[in-house]
Amino acid sequence: MDCAPTSSAPSAPWDRVLQRLREEIGEEKFTSWFARMDLDALTADVVRLSVPTRFLKSWIQENYLPRIADIWAEETGARRRVDLAVRSAFARPVALKASTPREVVSERTERPVETKPAPRAAEPRGEVREMVATGGDVASGSPLDPRLTFESFVVGKSNSLAFAAARKVAETPAGAAPVYNPLYLHAAVGLGKTHLLQAVARAGAAHGRRTTYLTAERFMYGFVSALKSHSAIAFKDTLRTIDTLVIDDLQFLKGNNLQQEFCHTLNALLDGGRQVVLAADCLPGELEHLDERVRSRLAGGLVVDLAPLEEDLRLQILKSRYQTLAEQHQGFAVPAPVLEFLARSVGQSGRDLDGALNKLLAFNQLTGEPVTLDMAENAVKDLIRPTDPKRVRVDDILRVVAKHYNVSRADLLSQRRTATVVKPRQIAMYLAKTLTLRSLPEIGRRFGGRDHTTVLHAVRKIDGLVATDRALADEIEVLKRLALES
């Protein structure tokens, strides 16, 4: 008989499964796909999980369910079937026709039907559009977070050019020629790419532009769904008749057919004088899974880097986020010296700073202890960075390893399995994991489109060898220094 996971027995292995998923795919992707997955029930044969939307269910089933089952078996010693369902909602969304202007509806909540529609005169000329398939089946565009606007974006030296370019694009009136086309933003995780892209989508609609905001994964899902429902032509036509296409996390776009369709869509929009804004975690030339012509077209626009946050900017961000928390939680007070300590000591990104403030809030509310410098040092000790590490690129690692072992870069990225290539390749993957902030899937893509499990195997193997082989350990230390100095 099924039972809810109320005791610690079922939840403990599930917590370990989630932690392993987090380590394998990286914090950003884990938060996107698994933060709202719940363990509903556990029997002798079945693990029952649930998510709030059909989109999440479909994507996880296609991409992660077998891996979840494998990890569960490894953690518990017993293999069970993993079932995934959609949790019930209070109201079903109303299917709308493709031509109907729509607000952005977050996939996190499903709104009840309004008894009185808003007057047509109150609607802006522009719209942030969703992708609508035929037959009333809605494969919605990616939802916008209402907090991510130009007004809430904190500007500093490291991001001022990206901010100015994004705002210029967003505020171009409907019908005017596009500027900086395409606009391509790139940065490490948590430095503001998604914030600016969502701000572009929202502000563009306010200025009368028809705008579609999509993550690369939602673009893939929408195209595949359109193929299955025999509405691919309608899907393509919808994309190519908008004013501004905004695509986030372009590094996740994979599959030959999808890349080909993206290439055609990109060319059609640019040649038609329509605006394209994109973001990824690397330069266009480093998107090796994309066709060279696409990379060249992306590089031909305005390419802007969002650099790591400088200390002054971190302090401004902390003050802004603290003000919001203080308004929401009466009595939560953080002295200025504590904010300055966090700005000097915590993390590399805005998300690290959010995590530090949330920890202080939790300590304050759960213990009743006021926020002081001593309390803050204890609360965020696991988030403190000893030094700001040099930003090492995967390309630097590939070059150093290839030269050291007298193999070519193409060999390291190839499918060759000879011993003279496999060991250097595994060492390069190990260095990429230890010297960069990239997740396992990101590293796999940079190494010839390999799966994250291949990277994980390489990292664990080299880690084990380093512990027992002193000569290899010294060799890897030399390679680390060379990569840091390159």
Side-chain angles (χ1 to χ4, degrees), residues 303-315:
V303 179
V304 184
D305 176 32
L306 285 82
L309 309 175
E310 65 271 18
E311 185 176 325
D312 287 345
L313 181 54
R314 291 198 295 268
L315 182 57

Side-chain angles (χ1 to χ4, degrees), residues 221-423:
Y221 176 82
F223 183 63
V224 171
S225 296
L227 287 176
K228 291 180 179 178
S229 61
H230 305 291
S231 57
I233 294 177
F235 178 88
K236 297 175 185 180
D237 289 344
T238 302
L239 273 180
R240 297 179 191 187
T241 56
I242 59 177
D243 295 322
T244 303
L245 175 64
V246 183
I247 294 188
D248 201 359
D249 291 327
L250 188 60
Q251 69 274 8
F252 293 134
L253 187 66
K254 57 185 179 181
N256 291 334
N257 290 338
L258 286 162
Q259 290 178 29
Q260 187 176 28
E261 179 54 37
F262 172 74
C263 178
H264 294 326
T265 299
L266 178 66
N267 288 332
L269 289 171
L270 295 177
D271 293 342
R274 302 179 187 275
Q275 182 71 57
V276 179
V277 184
L278 311 106
D281 63 1
C282 59
L283 288 162
E286 296 176 356
L287 293 169
E288 296 178 351
H289 59 290
L290 289 183
D291 184 86
E292 185 176 356
R293 290 169 297 178
V294 178
R295 284 180 278 159
S296 176
R297 196 90 197 243
L298 295 177
L302 177 60
V303 179
V304 184
D305 176 32
L306 285 82
L309 309 175
E310 65 271 18
E311 185 176 325
D312 287 345
L313 181 54
R314 291 198 295 268
L315 182 57
Q316 291 181 54
I317 292 172
L318 282 166
K319 288 179 178 178
S320 175
R321 306 284 170 82
Y322 161 60
Q323 183 178 357
T324 301
L325 285 176
E327 292 171 357
Q328 296 171 350
H329 303 276
Q330 295 297 321
F332 179 54
V334 181
V338 173
L339 293 177
E340 292 167 1
F341 160 72
L342 296 179
R344 285 194 310 271
S345 308
V346 170
Q348 302 294 318
S349 72
R351 290 174 188 167
D352 295 328
L353 302 177
D354 282 340
L357 281 177
N358 288 332
K359 269 207 160 185
L360 294 187
L361 176 63
F363 267 66
N364 174 249
Q365 291 189 331
L366 297 175
T367 67
E369 182 181 349
V371 178
T372 63
L373 194 55
D374 288 341
M375 183 266 233
E377 289 176 344
N378 180 56
V380 302
K381 58 187 177 184
D382 58 323
L383 301 176
I384 293 176
R385 62 184 190 281
T387 57
D388 285 331
K390 179 183 181 296
R391 190 174 179 183
V392 179
R393 301 186 310 158
V394 174
D395 280 346
D396 297 330
I397 294 170
L398 288 169
R399 183 175 63 255
V400 166
V401 172
K403 182 177 180 181
H404 184 81
Y405 289 101
N406 196 29
V407 296
S408 69
R409 184 178 185 275
D411 287 333
L412 296 177
L413 302 181
S414 72
Q415 300 300 318
R416 290 182 57 192
R417 302 292 300 166
T418 58
T420 56
V421 173
V422 169
K423 182 180 177 182

Side-chain angles (χ1 to χ4, degrees), residues 163-234:
F163 175 83
R167 189 151 204 168
K168 178 71 173 177
V169 165
E171 293 179 352
T172 301
V179 294
Y180 317 134
N181 205 20
L183 174 61
Y184 183 98
L185 307 180
H186 67 100
V189 172
L191 296 183
K193 303 187 302 295
T194 295
H195 191 143
L196 285 179
L197 260 62
Q198 294 207 15
V200 166
R202 189 173 296 279
H207 284 78
R209 301 182 67 86
R210 292 166 297 166
T211 304
T212 293
Y213 170 81
L214 292 167
T215 63
E217 288 174 311
R218 183 59 68 89
F219 174 85
M220 292 188 289
Y221 176 82
F223 183 63
V224 171
S225 296
L227 287 176
K228 291 180 179 178
S229 61
H230 305 291
S231 57
I233 294 177

